[in-house]
Amino acid sequence: MRTNRHFIVGTLLLAALATLVIAAYSPGLEGPFLFDDQPNIVDNPLVAVDSLDAEVLRDAAFSFGKAGYPHRGLARLSFALNYYFAGQEFDR
């Protein structure tokens, strides 16, 4: 009985956290590209993936773009996945 209560409380806390995260990030979904977004995302052809092959995703993650920031692999991989699942286009 106690374990069931912990599960319910944990599930409710997780749902509340997910709701807060969605509420915090949703205004930025309609925002424009800013600062280094243009050279690192829009002008970086390796981020514009057309398949989810491991090699393509690796190349996207380790691409430096025109600004050349080498330590943003996870961010670039996220950009590539967003590009792929958003219909393979950037909304400039």
Side-chain angles (χ1 to χ4, degrees), residues 8 10-11 14-15 18-20 33 39 53-54 59 64 73 75 77 85-86:
I8 292 171
T11 301
L14 185 61
T19 301
L20 287 173
F33 287 111
D53 297 335
D59 290 345
F64 293 152
L77 178 61
F85 288 112

Side-chain angles (χ1 to χ4, degrees), residues 12-25:
L12 290 174
L13 287 174
L14 185 61
L17 179 63
T19 301
L20 287 173
V21 168
I22 290 169
Y25 280 97

Side-chain angles (χ1 to χ4, degrees), residues 32-62:
F33 287 111
L34 299 171
F35 305 118
D36 66 342
D37 292 343
Q38 196 70 31
N40 283 300
I41 302 171
V42 178
D43 295 338
N44 185 351
L46 293 175
V47 171
V49 299
D50 58 1
S51 69
L52 296 180
D53 297 335
E55 183 177 336
V56 170
L57 294 177
R58 184 200 64 218
D59 290 345
F62 294 107

